[in-house]
Amino acid sequence: MKLFLPASFIVLAASACCCCGSDMQEMLEKQGIDVPSELGTPVVSTGVRATQLVTKGSVVKVVDIHSEDAYFSDKANIIGKTCTLQEDSSFKDGEWHGGSVTCGTDSYYFYKAAYEVVSAAAAPAAPVVTGARATAEVPAGTTVLIVDIHSEDAYFSDKANIIGKTCTLDENSSFKDGEWHGGPVHCGTDSYYFYKAAYQVK
C-alpha cells in the first residue's frame, strides 16, 4: 500500500536530511511514498525565449508559465509540451505570450506563458493600398483609410490586419516625417493610438 503525505511534511523531512534533489525523491519512493510533481526534477529550458509576437500556426515549446496565469498550478505538467498556436500570440511584458494553443490532444488558453519557437509560421502579407497619402496634419473627425504602418509603431507587427481599415480621427493627427501621422482613431469597434501610420483621406 502506498502512503501519500502532504508536501509540507516532505519538505520538512528534506530539510533535516543530508540527501537532496533526486536522492531525496528516490529514497521516499523506495519507502512507498508518492512525491508531488513540484518536488521532482524541474523542467529547465536552455533555448531562447520568443521576445516578440508569434504568428498563428507557429509551433512552440512551452518553457514557463507566469504566476498570474490560470495554469500556473499545473505548470509542471505543461512546461516542455510542444504546441501549435491557434491565433497570433498577444505579447506582453518582454517575454510572455497569451492566446489559444493546442498541444496534441490538449488545448489551453494562456494569459502569460513563455515560448521557444520550434517552427515559425509565415506572417500574412500586408495588403497594398494605393492612392495619395495625406502629407499634412489631418483634422479631428476626418475619415481616413489606413494605408501603411511604420516599423517604429507598436502596431507594426499587426499591420496586415489594420491596413485597409476605414477609421475616424478622434483628434488632429500629429504629423511627422513627411507622410506619417500619430494619435487616436476608431475603426468601427476597434480603436488604436498610432505613433506613425500613413493615411489616405476619404
Side-chain angles (χ1 to χ4, degrees):
M1 179 182 71
K2 282 195 171 185
L3 175 66
F4 294 85
L5 294 179
S8 58
F9 174 83
I10 297 172
V11 171
L12 181 62
S15 65
C17 179
C18 62
C19 305
C20 62
S22 60
D23 293 337
M24 181 66 184
Q25 184 179 7
E26 183 179 351
M27 181 191 74
L28 292 171
E29 288 176 348
K30 283 182 179 179
Q31 298 300 317
I33 300 172
D34 277 356
V35 181
S37 59
E38 61 266 26
L39 294 180
T41 303
V43 178
V44 178
S45 170
T46 57
V48 178
R49 295 187 181 201
T51 56
Q52 59 185 4
L53 177 149
V54 182
T55 54
K56 176 182 178 180
S58 296
V59 177
V60 300
K61 183 169 71 172
V62 181
V63 296
D64 200 4
I65 298 176
H66 196 279
S67 60
E68 295 175 1
D69 194 283
Y71 293 104
F72 177 72
S73 61
D74 198 32
K75 65 183 292 184
N77 297 316
I78 299 174
I79 291 176
K81 285 190 174 184
T82 299
C83 309
T84 301
L85 272 65
Q86 300 303 300
E87 59 185 313
D88 291 351
S89 71
S90 57
F91 183 61
K92 60 199 81 174
D93 298 343
E95 62 178 6
W96 301 101
H97 300 262
S100 57
V101 302
T102 57
C103 314
T105 57
D106 299 321
S107 295
Y108 304 96
Y109 194 102
F110 293 120
Y111 170 58
K112 281 187 178 180
Y115 300 149
E116 284 178 15
V117 177
V118 176
S119 176
V128 177
V129 180
T130 59
R133 298 187 179 198
T135 56
E137 179 185 283
V138 179
T142 303
T143 299
V144 299
L145 184 70
I146 309 298
V147 297
D148 201 3
I149 297 176
H150 196 280
S151 60
E152 294 175 359
D153 194 283
Y155 293 106
F156 177 73
S157 62
D158 199 32
K159 65 185 293 184
N161 297 316
I162 298 175
I163 291 176
K165 284 189 174 184
T166 298
C167 308
T168 302
L169 273 64
D170 295 329
E171 60 184 51
N172 293 352
S173 69
S174 58
F175 184 61
K176 62 200 78 174
D177 299 343
E179 62 178 6
W180 301 102
H181 301 262
V185 303
H186 62 270
C187 315
T189 58
D190 298 321
S191 295
Y192 305 96
Y193 197 108
F194 293 118
Y195 170 57
K196 282 186 177 180
Y199 301 152
Q200 180 182 323
V201 176
K202 302 231 8 167

